[in-house]
């Protein structure tokens, strides 16, 4: 669907008024504030060396500068500071850290463009295909669709992944798409183009460097960064990049659903650059894999040939693993590495007890304090936000580990996790305090249960008061981040 240049720029003007920018900054700061430690604010510094404290101190000047530059069409992004993080399956993933002012511009630009893109993604052929970086769509929803297709007999899967997708998107082809949907002469298009072409600061250029007493990213307070031109791809880590990544694969989605599905009966689900194509018969999988590889090559992308990344799966014989879940013919379970990830973080919480300010010498009081002040937060997460009109949860699930994995059907796995939690706490108190804990003592101390939380979440009915067009900005910005936290998605 095409958008008039004047219409899209009107959205931009509304989002980039100084008052709107100031309001968004405080929303962003609230979102980055630790729910349980209000003094801990996780706003990263970009390559311009400006901290959030310094940015906020000059907030009026900063928002006026952003508004003036964006609306005049002269805004320039600062180079993105890259960091490398470990992938769950090995190797490194590169994330791009923007300056604080650029984070604000990205989000407001995203909010301006999203209605246009959302109408595109809601086309009947592809509305229930892509589940990443879309409001009202999520990885658990993608898992539910896959589970339902398996129950209907689509048990043969092409489980596929695109090689370095975000880093490989061809600029010319992506910009041509944006010209069509945003209008080549719009300020919105020109700002998005500048975002895509912004230089990068490779991690290797500053990771081991020192400037006086400053080290690593702190050196940007004193020196200008070494920058490199971005020849292809989009910066990974921001919500705007996710939307652009979806746009580039939109025609691929349409090709699968309109052309390939006429030749091969199939079901298709995609989350970012990971996707699953399901068929009823095994002989269709290999020709399907070749078709998909050829089509991706035509648009400048490459299908993984590594069998750990792209697999042909008979789900009757081998479990399918997708977006943090494991699928059999009968059940959805939490993937093993995500169970282990939860255990590692939970154990860290237990063993940080000795360095935490719990002053009780009485063992029972200490157990209760540790349980209610720390451990239950790992199980229950952040409480659901309630609607002011109907007092029902705004979202159907809380922001928690169990809230994310609430679509699973394998409750034995959850029961086993509860048993492990009780055993781990008991082991810690025996080792640390020579104090033996029984199950009834944990119950008395108020320890939450993974399994009980699962059943509670499944019964939650969300409110229906919110107007569909007034989405929460934070939901779109955080959805990809939440998926990475709980699944290790890369």
């Amino acid at each position: 669907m095409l958008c008039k240049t004047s219409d899209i720029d009107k959205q931009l003007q509304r989002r980039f008024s100084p008052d709107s920018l100031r309001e968004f900054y405080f929303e962003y700061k609230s979102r980055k504030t630790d729910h349980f430690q209000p003094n801990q604010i996780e706003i990263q510094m970009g390559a311009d060396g400006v901290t959030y404290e310094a940015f906020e101190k000059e907030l009026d000047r900063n928002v006026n500068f952003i508004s003036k530059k964006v609306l005049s069409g002269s805004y320039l992004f600062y180079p993105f500071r890259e960091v490398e993080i470990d992938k769950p399956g090995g190797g490194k993933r590169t994330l791009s850290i923007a300056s604080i002012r650029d984070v604000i511009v990205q989000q407001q630009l995203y909010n301006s463009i999203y209605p246009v893109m959302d109408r595109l993604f809601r086309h009947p052929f592809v509305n229930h295909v892509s589940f990443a970086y879309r409001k009202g769509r999520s990885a658990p929803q993608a898992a539910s669709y896959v589970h339902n297709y398996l129950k209907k007999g689509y048990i043969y899967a092409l489980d596929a992944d695109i090689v370095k997708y975000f880093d490989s998107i061809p600029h010319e082809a992506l910009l041509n798409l944006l010209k069509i949907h945003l209008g080549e002469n719009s300020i919105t298009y020109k700002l998005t183009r500048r975002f895509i072409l912004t230089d990068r600061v490779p991690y290797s250029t500053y990771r081991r460097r020192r400037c006086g007493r400053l080290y690593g990213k702190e050196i940007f307070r004193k020196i200008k960064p070494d920058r490199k031109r971005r020849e292809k791809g989009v910066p990974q880590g921001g919500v705007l990049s996710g939307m652009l990544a979806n746009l580039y694969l939109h025609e691929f989605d349409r090709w699968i659903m309109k052309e390939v599905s006429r030749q091969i009966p199939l079901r298709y689900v995609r989350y970012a650059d990971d996707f699953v194509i399901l068929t009823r018969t095994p002989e269709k999988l290999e020709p399907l894999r070749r078709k998909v590889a050829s089509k991706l090559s035509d648009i400048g992308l490459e299908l993984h040939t590594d069998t750990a990344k792209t697999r042909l799966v008979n789900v009757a014989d081998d479990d399918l693993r997708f977006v943090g879940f494991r699928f059999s013919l009968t059940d959805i379970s939490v993937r093993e590495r995500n169970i282990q990830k939860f255990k590692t973080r939970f154990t860290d919480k237990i063993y940080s007890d000795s360095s935490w300010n719990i002053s009780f010498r009485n063992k029972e009081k200490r157990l209760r304090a540790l349980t209610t002040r720390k451990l239950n937060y790992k199980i229950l997460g952040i409480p659901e936000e309630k609607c002011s009109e109907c007092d029902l949860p705004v979202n159907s699930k809380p922001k928690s580990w169990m809230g994310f994995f609430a679509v699973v059907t394998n409750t034995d796995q959850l029961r086993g996790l509860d048993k492990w939690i009780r055993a781990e706490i008991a082991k810690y108190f025996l080792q640390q305090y020579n104090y033996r804990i029984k199950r009834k003592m944990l119950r008395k101390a108020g320890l939450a249960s993974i399994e009980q939380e699962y059943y509670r979440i499944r019964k939650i009915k969300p409110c229906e008061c919110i107007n569909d067009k007034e989405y929460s900005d934070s939901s779109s910005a955080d959805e990809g981040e939440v998926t990475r936290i709980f699944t290790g998605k890369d």
Side-chain angles (χ1 to χ4, degrees):
M1 181 178 293
L2 303 182
C3 179
K4 291 182 179 178
T5 296
S6 59
D7 292 340
I8 194 69
D9 281 349
K10 283 179 183 177
Q11 284 288 327
L12 199 75
Q13 290 169 3
R14 183 169 68 88
R15 295 285 183 180
F16 280 93
S17 70
D19 287 343
S20 294
L21 294 171
R22 188 180 297 104
E23 181 182 355
F24 173 75
Y25 170 76
F26 287 112
E27 289 177 1
Y28 173 66
K29 181 182 177 182
S30 174
R31 206 159 64 228
K32 292 296 183 179
T33 301
D34 191 296
H35 186 76
F36 308 116
Q37 301 180 56
N39 292 328
Q40 187 172 334
I41 300 174
E42 298 293 336
I43 297 180
Q44 296 223 42
M45 182 185 77
D48 60 353
V50 177
T51 64
Y52 84 89
E53 294 96 339
F55 184 88
E56 190 170 318
K57 188 176 180 180
E58 300 286 338
L59 184 60
D60 286 342
R61 186 177 67 83
N62 284 322
V63 296
N64 283 316
F65 171 83
I66 293 171
S67 177
K68 179 181 177 181
K69 288 292 185 179
V70 167
L71 297 182
S72 67
S74 59
Y75 186 87
L76 296 175
F77 291 89
Y78 209 82
F80 291 99
R81 175 174 68 85
E82 295 185 339
V83 295
E84 294 176 356
I85 63 173
D86 294 328
K87 290 184 179 182
K92 300 285 185 180
R93 178 161 61 95
T94 300
L95 294 181
S96 297
I97 310 299
S99 66
I100 296 169
R101 67 179 176 89
D102 287 349
V103 168
I104 295 172
V105 172
Q106 281 187 62
Q107 180 65 66
Q108 295 296 74
L109 178 57
Y110 168 88
N111 291 335
S112 300
I113 296 173
Y114 187 83
V116 177
M117 298 303 171
D118 189 51
R119 288 193 291 271
L120 189 68
F121 300 149
R122 286 179 181 270
H123 189 282
F125 280 111
V126 295
N127 189 28
H128 300 297
V129 164
S130 69
F131 290 85
Y133 311 111
R134 294 179 60 193
K135 297 170 183 177
R137 296 286 186 268
S138 66
Q141 282 186 342
S144 294
Y145 270 80
V146 170
H147 181 57
N148 288 332
Y149 294 150
L150 290 172
K151 289 193 295 185
K152 292 177 181 179
Y154 292 86
I155 66 172
Y156 301 97
L158 168 61
D159 177 14
D161 191 10
I162 300 172
V163 176
K164 295 185 178 297
Y165 174 55
F166 280 82
D167 297 328
S168 302
I169 299 174
H171 283 172
E172 184 178 358
L174 177 60
L175 291 173
N176 285 338
L177 289 172
L178 288 171
K179 288 177 186 177
I180 294 171
H181 298 293
L182 302 181
E184 185 174 2
N185 296 319
S186 69
I187 296 175
T188 308
Y189 165 75
K190 292 173 182 176
L191 184 60
T192 309
R193 180 179 182 276
R194 285 176 181 161
F195 166 78
I196 293 168
L197 300 178
T198 297
D199 291 348
R200 58 192 186 88
V201 181
Y203 191 37
S204 59
T205 66
Y206 70 90
R207 181 177 51 145
R208 299 184 183 279
R209 289 179 62 183
R210 185 183 296 275
C211 179
R213 295 185 178 182
L214 300 178
Y215 181 73
K217 69 178 183 180
E218 302 299 325
I219 67 175
F220 295 133
R221 296 181 186 177
K222 292 287 184 181
I223 66 173
K224 287 188 176 182
D226 297 331
R227 53 202 293 174
K228 289 192 175 181
R229 186 176 179 182
R230 191 182 301 277
E231 301 291 346
K232 58 182 178 178
V234 294
Q236 190 171 353
V239 65
L240 183 57
S241 297
M243 183 173 64
L244 295 174
N246 263 351
L247 173 64
Y248 194 71
L249 283 179
H250 179 68
E251 287 305 315
F252 175 78
D253 295 341
R254 285 173 57 85
W255 172 76
I256 292 283
M257 298 306 294
K258 291 191 72 173
E259 295 186 29
V260 181
S261 64
R262 290 176 181 173
Q263 304 164 16
I264 303 172
L266 58 80
R267 295 293 183 268
Y268 171 48
V269 177
R270 179 174 64 80
Y271 191 90
D273 56 336
D274 289 350
F275 58 90
V276 173
I277 304 177
L278 301 159
T279 70
R280 292 180 183 271
T281 54
E283 62 270 12
K284 302 293 185 181
L285 287 183
E286 181 54 34
L288 187 58
R289 187 195 65 78
R290 292 196 297 268
K291 281 179 178 288
V292 166
S294 176
K295 180 64 175 180
L296 289 174
S297 179
D298 290 344
I299 59 174
L301 303 174
E302 180 184 358
L303 184 69
H304 260 293
T305 55
D306 183 347
T307 55
K309 294 285 189 177
T310 298
R311 305 165 60 227
L312 305 181
V313 183
N314 177 355
V315 184
D317 298 330
D318 188 12
D319 289 345
L320 173 66
R321 293 175 289 277
F322 183 57
V323 292
F325 297 84
R326 188 181 79 242
F327 304 85
S328 67
L329 292 184
T330 55
D331 286 312
I332 311 178
S333 305
V334 183
R335 195 169 175 180
E336 291 82 356
R337 74 183 187 190
N338 298 312
I339 290 285
Q340 187 56 51
K341 191 174 183 179
F342 175 88
K343 288 182 176 180
T344 299
R345 292 183 173 181
F346 197 88
T347 302
D348 289 343
K349 283 291 182 185
I350 295 174
Y351 283 86
S352 66
D353 162 49
S354 58
S355 63
W356 199 57
N357 185 24
I358 302 179
S359 57
F360 302 119
R361 293 187 178 182
N362 180 285
K363 306 297 191 301
E364 289 187 12
K365 288 184 177 180
R366 192 173 188 91
L367 173 62
R368 176 177 289 276
L370 177 64
T371 299
T372 57
R373 296 183 192 180
K374 295 187 74 178
L375 303 184
N376 279 355
Y377 293 143
K378 291 299 294 179
I379 298 173
L380 303 176
I382 300 174
E384 299 95 314
E385 179 186 351
K386 296 293 184 70
C387 174
S388 59
E389 295 183 19
C390 66
D391 200 38
L392 289 173
V394 174
N395 297 306
S396 59
K397 298 179 182 65
K399 290 182 180 179
S400 66
W401 188 87
M402 193 67 260
F404 184 88
F405 289 107
V407 299
V408 301
T409 60
N410 183 0
T411 54
D412 288 342
Q413 191 181 42
L414 305 180
R415 202 170 298 122
L417 196 52
D418 272 333
K419 184 177 180 180
W420 175 86
I421 288 172
R422 294 192 295 268
E424 201 68 16
I425 297 172
K427 182 174 73 173
Y428 169 73
F429 270 81
L430 183 61
Q431 291 176 351
Q432 191 76 11
Y433 306 111
N434 196 28
Y435 182 58
R436 293 187 179 276
I437 292 177
K438 296 181 180 180
R439 184 170 178 176
K440 65 180 180 180
M441 297 168 67
L442 290 169
R443 193 181 301 117
K444 185 178 178 181
L447 180 67
S449 162
I450 288 278
E451 186 181 11
Q452 289 178 11
E453 178 67 359
Y454 167 79
Y455 287 118
R456 186 192 73 83
I457 291 171
R458 302 270 289 194
K459 294 178 182 178
I460 292 176
K461 293 182 179 179
C463 86
E464 298 178 352
C465 304
I466 297 179
N467 190 315
D468 191 45
K469 70 180 180 180
E470 293 295 333
Y471 294 104
S472 166
D473 288 344
S474 62
S475 66
S476 63
D478 290 347
E479 194 262 328
E481 182 179 351
V482 168
T483 302
R484 285 194 294 273
I485 290 171
F486 292 136
T487 72
K489 169 75 184 70
D490 51 42

